[in-house]
Amino acid sequence: MFRRPRGQRVLVTVPVAVAVVAYLVLLPSGEVASVPGSPCRADGPARTDPLLAPDLDGDGFGELVYEDSQDPDDFQVVVVPGSARGPVSGRASVLNRDDLGVPDSVQTIDNTWRPTVADLDGDGHLDLVVSGDARVVWGGPDGPRAGGPRGRVPLPGRPYHTVPVAGDVDGDGHIDLVAYRFSAKNPALVVLKGPFKRSGAPADTAETPTPVNEAAFPALLLGDADGDRAADLAVYDSPYDPPLLLTGGADTPSGLSAEPERLPAGESVAFGDFDGDGRRDIAVGRSFVDPYDDEETPYRRGQLRVAYGKEPGTWVTMEGGAPQEGFGTRLGAGDFDGDGCDDLAVQLTRKKEAADARFAVLHGGSEHGLASEPWRTVRRTVAEPSGPVDEGPVDGSLFAAADWDGDGRAELALSGGGHWWFTDGTDRDKASFPKRGRGATP
């Protein structure tokens, strides 16, 4: 599992982070598309809107892009090219602190995160936004590169510990950035409007007061939750507040709704089309595991709550795993079998500060949406983690769900113990290799 220092919340804004978990790239149009001959026809064509990994060099295959700041003196972003076989580790390129223009004063975190990848200036090439300092490496025909043009998005006030997330918040056809200012005196959501100049300057900037507790360090996830092609913002993973949804395209300076919608309690959020009807659905996971393992997990199973686009506001509840097994810790949506319906990988974690993780993959379907029983279970483990201290086995944790080999089906990317795994949603690996960085070799 990724480590989170006590007293500080460290977040994937995909991820994870995307949450993720659509790899932080939202196009201004076509993000939600109906599937010809669907819903979920096994003999029909592959879906037309796979969760593609970002194709930085335009070769038709998405790249694995991650920020590796395990060593504060060796901050770097690694770009692993995609191929028909998935990411190819031997062709990876590394952008270091100087290449990225990230000053030594910028805080780094002992974790592996995703930079934001999006076309900020509208030139048709994907750009790279890294670190809480929002440094930009501009894209080109060969992708962002060392020695290429750079910029910096001017974030008002400070501090910002995580990279901004990208999407067309106001629905004007230009990609915007959204960041959260972690300030005891003036916390806020900050929306920087596109298109961006090559200096990194936005067309406009708007702030909205924090919708969560001032002591919170929430994660951000952008996705079109209501089908209007404007990106909506999920704010979640705060121990003080329920997840919130702020709809985009609103008649406000920021483009986000003034009043957020409360989502069911939980620590993970994902958007996907789980029933194949061309409308986005929302999933919220709740593991009941304490963020720092300070309190014993109650003797109950974790939960998944799903609201389908055809019935917004109506939540279906599913439970998974065994009691105290942490079902719902992280979510990753993707069409792993290519049938036109998104499936959902649900991470189970008994201890969040320990390297303990496995995945139940729930199958999407046209009749009922997500199945309540796992379609597949996945686990990947490194026997001896890298580093000076042997802490025992490390399980792979959810990094993203995306299509890295261009086959129209998503893969599940797991990261842990200095290693990567890319599985097709079953126990079959499509690619696996050690990470670059401290304690790992390419």
Side-chain angles (χ1 to χ4, degrees):
M1 284 290 293
F2 298 134
R3 296 289 190 262
R4 290 186 284 187
R6 282 185 186 277
Q8 179 181 15
R9 302 299 301 272
V10 179
L11 306 169
V12 178
T13 54
V14 143
V16 103
V18 208
V20 178
V21 182
Y23 219 96
L24 306 181
V25 183
L26 295 178
L27 301 180
S29 64
E31 199 267 340
V32 176
S34 60
V35 181
S38 71
C40 302
R41 282 183 53 192
D43 59 346
R47 63 182 297 148
T48 59
D49 60 336
L51 292 175
L52 288 172
D55 182 8
L56 294 171
D57 55 12
D59 66 352
F61 300 104
E63 277 69 57
L64 167 68
V65 187
Y66 64 95
E67 179 181 307
D68 192 335
S69 53
Q70 298 181 60
D71 185 345
D73 297 324
D74 191 28
F75 175 86
Q76 59 188 19
V77 168
V78 181
V79 180
V80 185
S83 74
R85 302 181 308 278
V88 182
S89 177
R91 294 170 48 205
S93 60
V94 178
L95 301 173
N96 61 31
R97 190 184 281 271
D98 291 336
D99 297 328
L100 300 166
V102 178
D104 293 340
S105 60
V106 172
Q107 179 183 4
T108 59
I109 300 166
D110 184 15
N111 272 310
T112 300
W113 303 126
R114 286 180 292 172
T116 290
V117 184
D119 183 4
L120 298 184
D121 55 0
D123 67 351
H125 301 295
L126 293 175
D127 311 305
L128 201 59
V129 187
V130 301
S131 84
D133 201 40
R135 299 285 166 156
V136 182
V137 182
W138 296 104
D142 299 322
R145 56 184 174 82
R150 299 186 318 216
R152 177 178 178 270
V153 178
L155 298 173
R158 61 179 57 195
Y160 298 82
H161 293 313
T162 57
V163 66
V165 293
D168 183 9
V169 172
D170 53 12
D172 67 352
H174 299 294
I175 292 294
D176 312 309
L177 293 176
V178 181
Y180 188 82
R181 185 168 61 223
F182 301 91
S183 168
K185 295 182 179 179
N186 188 26
L189 284 170
V190 178
V191 179
L192 303 113
K193 303 291 188 69
F196 292 76
K197 296 180 180 179
R198 276 294 173 114
S199 64
D204 195 10
T205 301
E207 297 186 20
T208 184
T210 177
V212 296
N213 187 288
E214 293 183 357
F217 287 78
L220 307 179
L221 175 67
L222 281 170
D224 185 3
D226 53 14
D228 65 355
R229 296 190 175 184
D232 307 306
L233 179 69
V235 182
Y236 64 100
D237 200 24
S238 163
Y240 313 103
D241 312 276
L244 302 173
L245 182 69
L246 291 87
T247 56
D251 186 18
T252 63
S254 68
L256 294 171
S257 58
E259 295 296 329
E261 173 189 348
R262 289 171 61 101
L263 302 179
E267 70 256 41
S268 54
V269 177
F271 299 125
D273 182 9
F274 304 119
D275 53 6
D277 65 354
R279 289 173 286 195
R280 276 290 179 261
D281 313 316
I282 307 175
V284 179
R286 186 182 189 186
S287 70
F288 298 100
V289 178
D290 185 80
Y292 301 108
D293 303 332
D294 289 335
E295 298 181 11
E296 184 177 354
T297 303
Y299 191 78
R300 61 181 302 171
R301 303 166 73 193
Q303 289 183 345
L304 180 69
R305 305 285 299 277
V306 183
Y308 293 96
K310 58 180 175 283
E311 295 182 288
T314 299
W315 293 90
V316 177
T317 302
M318 291 178 280
E319 295 186 332
Q324 299 180 309
E325 204 168 25
F327 176 87
T329 302
R330 295 190 183 190
L331 306 177
D335 183 7
F336 299 116
D337 57 3
D339 68 351
C341 283
D342 281 328
D343 311 304
L344 186 68
V346 183
Q347 182 167 319
L348 297 91
T349 303
R350 291 182 181 275
K351 296 290 183 181
K352 292 188 177 180
E353 289 289 328
D356 168 31
R358 64 185 180 88
F359 301 86
V361 181
L362 305 182
H363 188 57
S366 60
E367 293 185 8
H368 306 291
L370 289 172
S372 59
E373 294 296 326
W375 168 48
R376 294 285 189 272
T377 56
V378 178
R379 189 169 196 157
R380 293 293 181 272
T381 300
V382 175
E384 295 182 3
S386 59
V389 179
D390 183 359
E391 298 176 348
V394 174
D395 291 338
S397 187
L398 176 63
F399 181 76
D403 179 12
W404 280 277
D405 57 12
D407 67 352
R409 303 184 182 195
E411 291 85 52
L412 184 64
L414 309 179
S415 170
H419 206 87
W420 288 106
W421 297 269
F422 295 83
T423 168
D424 59 2
T426 71
D427 274 338
R428 295 190 300 268
D429 282 341
K430 302 196 97 174
S432 63
F433 48 84
K435 288 182 187 176
R436 301 185 66 111
R438 186 180 64 182
T441 57

